[in-house]
Amino acid sequence: MAESNFIDYVKILCRSGKGGAGSRHYHRAKYIPKGGPDGGDGGRGGHIILRGNRHKWTLLDLRYQRHIFATDGQSGGENRSTGKDGEDRIIEVPVGTTVFDADTGEYLCEITRDGEEIKLLRGGKGGRGNVHFATSTNRAPRYAQPGQPAIEKAVVLELKLLGDVGLVGFPNAGKSTLLSAISAAKPKIADYPFTTMEPSLGIVSYRNGQSFVMADIPGIIEGASEGKGLGLRFLRHIERNAVLLFMIPADSSDIKKDYEILLNELKQFNPELMDKSRVLAISKSDMLDEEMMEEMKKELPEGVPTVFISAVTGFGLTELKDLLWREINSEDNLAQSTITHRNLDRHHRVEEEDEFIFHQDDDEEEDWMPTTDEEWADEFWDEEQSVNDEDASWRGAKKGTGK
């Protein structure tokens, strides 16, 4: 997958901007000996913003831009001038991108619409200038607020293709052949396992100009949850699908057992996938006659709608479309959400991405910041006292020298 342009998992480091410090300036003008404080507020730090872009289909850009930092806000100035705000950094991602905390695996947010914006990290607020701290008893405050610190977070971005039907099956089960037969998609087709190395989408035309989207993912094998084959890496793309279409070839020695193996691998990846509607298609049925089909129906899994198809001859494809359309638009299916969220664990991680090492600054600022005026006053009271003590000692030293 390293040579493929289809990147659906990437880990990046984001940092919002620091807020600018407030100014401790005093007004100085001719004939105004005691102008008083006029320090302005600092500007806010830049935000980290995610934006959906329907023209993007992969996270390839972010693979080569691992560090995304917004700029800091500028300090306040004289005459109550507010510092310039930091520049926001906008990360454009494909529609269907989900964001997780890289350290805890916790689900954070998702982008589901073109142009949708989510503020991933908020920039630090700018500090208030000394003009805000002037009172009747303290007319010349010599302190101002510093800006709030930046927020730094490592996140994992996962791309989940938006489709109505997800194809699930072993390698060489005929998934790519079916997708090419009922849609305009042109996936790679060959007579060896793991021909499909990356997911692909196809729009399936239906009656009266209607259509639905079908997603094909690489085949999975028994033990995929333990890392065999291509593992469970691409199963994230069927978490958004409304219906799961299981495909098992007619020449299978035990269709029911193969179906249970596939079902178990899905359960290992995400137990909530068991709540989705399921349809079973017996592919390569052109090698069967009516008598063999009737005999096979006795051994099929119970409670799952089943249809015999052949993508090569077109047998059963119309019946399959009708069945999928009914399942997609069924009341039970529309009542429940088709988007399944889960936190990251060992089944969902991509090892080569998680081993990416970030170089962070050692001298990070304190996370705690005062929130009320009283806390700000307490925080900077010691600073004001230390300044006064230094002034007093300097004056005493100056007086002692007789200068």
Side-chain angles (χ1 to χ4, degrees):
M1 291 303 298
E3 300 178 355
S4 173
N5 287 332
F6 182 80
I7 304 300
D8 58 353
Y9 183 108
V10 68
K11 180 180 177 182
I12 62 176
L13 180 68
C14 301
R15 182 193 297 161
S16 62
K18 296 188 297 184
S23 173
R24 295 184 290 182
H25 190 268
Y26 292 90
H27 183 63
R28 295 289 185 267
K30 193 174 183 180
Y31 306 119
I32 306 179
K34 297 180 180 181
D38 69 342
D41 300 341
R44 68 158 177 84
H47 304 311
I48 301 294
I49 300 174
L50 291 178
R51 178 189 293 168
N53 186 342
R54 62 185 177 88
H55 299 294
K56 287 184 174 290
W57 63 280
T58 176
L59 299 173
L60 180 64
D61 294 346
L62 296 176
R63 167 161 281 192
Y64 303 104
Q65 190 180 8
R66 301 287 189 154
H67 300 81
I68 300 179
F69 300 153
T71 60
D72 301 333
Q74 294 183 0
S75 301
E78 59 186 35
N79 296 326
R80 304 190 181 188
S81 299
T82 302
K84 182 181 178 182
D85 292 341
E87 294 183 5
D88 300 334
R89 289 298 307 273
I90 298 178
I91 308 173
E92 293 197 344
V93 295
V95 177
T97 300
T98 308
V99 186
F100 300 89
D101 188 308
D103 297 324
T104 64
E106 179 185 3
Y107 163 79
L108 298 178
C109 62
E110 64 175 341
I111 297 293
T112 57
R113 301 189 310 275
D114 179 48
E116 179 183 6
E117 291 189 356
I118 294 179
K119 196 174 293 181
L120 184 61
L121 297 180
R122 186 179 297 274
K125 291 183 179 180
R128 291 187 291 178
N130 62 350
V131 68
H132 293 282
F133 300 98
T135 64
S136 59
T137 58
N138 184 17
R139 297 184 179 184
R142 304 188 63 180
Y143 53 85
Q145 290 178 336
Q148 289 185 339
I151 301 175
E152 187 172 272
K153 184 183 291 292
V155 297
V156 169
L157 303 183
E158 272 192 358
L159 173 61
K160 301 178 183 180
L161 298 180
L162 301 177
D164 300 303
V165 179
L167 293 174
V168 182
F170 294 109
N172 270 7
K175 302 186 298 299
S176 298
T177 305
L178 173 64
L179 186 65
S180 64
I182 62 178
S183 73
K186 301 298 180 184
K188 183 178 180 181
I189 300 174
D191 58 352
Y192 56 83
F194 297 110
T195 306
T196 302
M197 297 297 292
E198 61 186 42
S200 57
L201 292 175
I203 300 177
V204 181
S205 300
Y206 193 61
R207 297 187 177 93
N208 302 324
Q210 296 172 318
S211 63
F212 58 89
V213 180
M214 181 176 288
D216 177 25
I217 65 171
I220 58 178
I221 62 176
E222 185 176 7
S225 58
E226 303 300 328
K228 294 183 179 180
L230 293 178
L232 301 177
R233 172 172 177 174
F234 296 103
L235 283 182
R236 67 173 64 96
H237 295 287
I238 67 173
E239 290 183 311
R240 291 184 181 273
N241 302 151
V243 179
L244 303 181
L245 175 58
F246 289 78
M247 292 191 62
I248 300 177
D251 57 357
S252 171
S253 59
D254 192 336
I255 294 179
K256 186 175 182 179
K257 180 180 178 181
D258 289 347
Y259 173 78
E260 292 176 350
I261 291 174
L262 293 172
L263 204 60
N264 180 65
E265 294 300 330
L266 265 62
K267 185 177 180 180
Q268 293 292 329
F269 179 77
N270 188 351
E272 295 186 22
L273 291 177
M274 299 298 98
D275 298 332
K276 292 185 178 292
S277 300
R278 301 192 291 268
V279 174
L280 176 60
I282 309 301
S283 60
K284 305 179 183 179
S285 295
D286 51 311
M287 64 180 67
L288 304 177
D289 55 24
E290 292 292 337
E291 183 178 352
M292 296 176 66
M293 290 183 188
E294 292 297 328
E295 193 68 26
M296 290 180 63
K297 289 180 181 180
K298 301 177 182 178
E299 304 296 331
L300 295 178
E302 299 179 357
V304 182
T306 306
V307 58
F308 290 85
I309 64 170
S310 173
V312 176
T313 64
F315 171 74
L317 296 186
T318 302
E319 182 182 354
L320 176 63
K321 289 183 183 181
D322 292 338
L323 181 57
L324 292 175
W325 185 260
R326 287 197 302 269
E327 291 293 331
I328 292 172
N329 296 279
S330 64
E331 294 182 1
D332 294 340
N333 193 31
L334 295 177
Q336 65 178 357
S337 173
T338 59
I339 301 177
T340 304
H341 300 304
R342 40 77 186 140
N343 293 333
L344 292 179
D345 59 19
R346 67 182 184 88
H347 293 304
H348 314 107
R349 295 279 189 174
V350 178
E351 184 176 353
E352 60 269 25
E353 289 289 333
D354 285 345
E355 290 178 352
F356 181 80
I357 299 176
F358 297 114
H359 299 284
Q360 304 185 28
D361 297 334
D362 296 331
D363 53 343
E364 296 182 351
E365 298 188 44
E366 295 286 341
D367 293 334
W368 178 85
M369 289 292 290
T371 56
T372 65
D373 292 345
E374 291 77 8
E375 290 179 350
W376 280 110
D378 292 341
E379 170 69 9
F380 297 104
W381 177 254
D382 293 339
E383 178 181 346
E384 183 183 17
Q385 289 296 103
S386 63
V387 171
N388 292 336
D389 293 342
E390 290 176 2
D391 289 348
S393 61
W394 178 80
R395 289 171 184 153
K398 182 177 181 181
K399 183 176 180 180
T401 57
K403 294 181 180 180

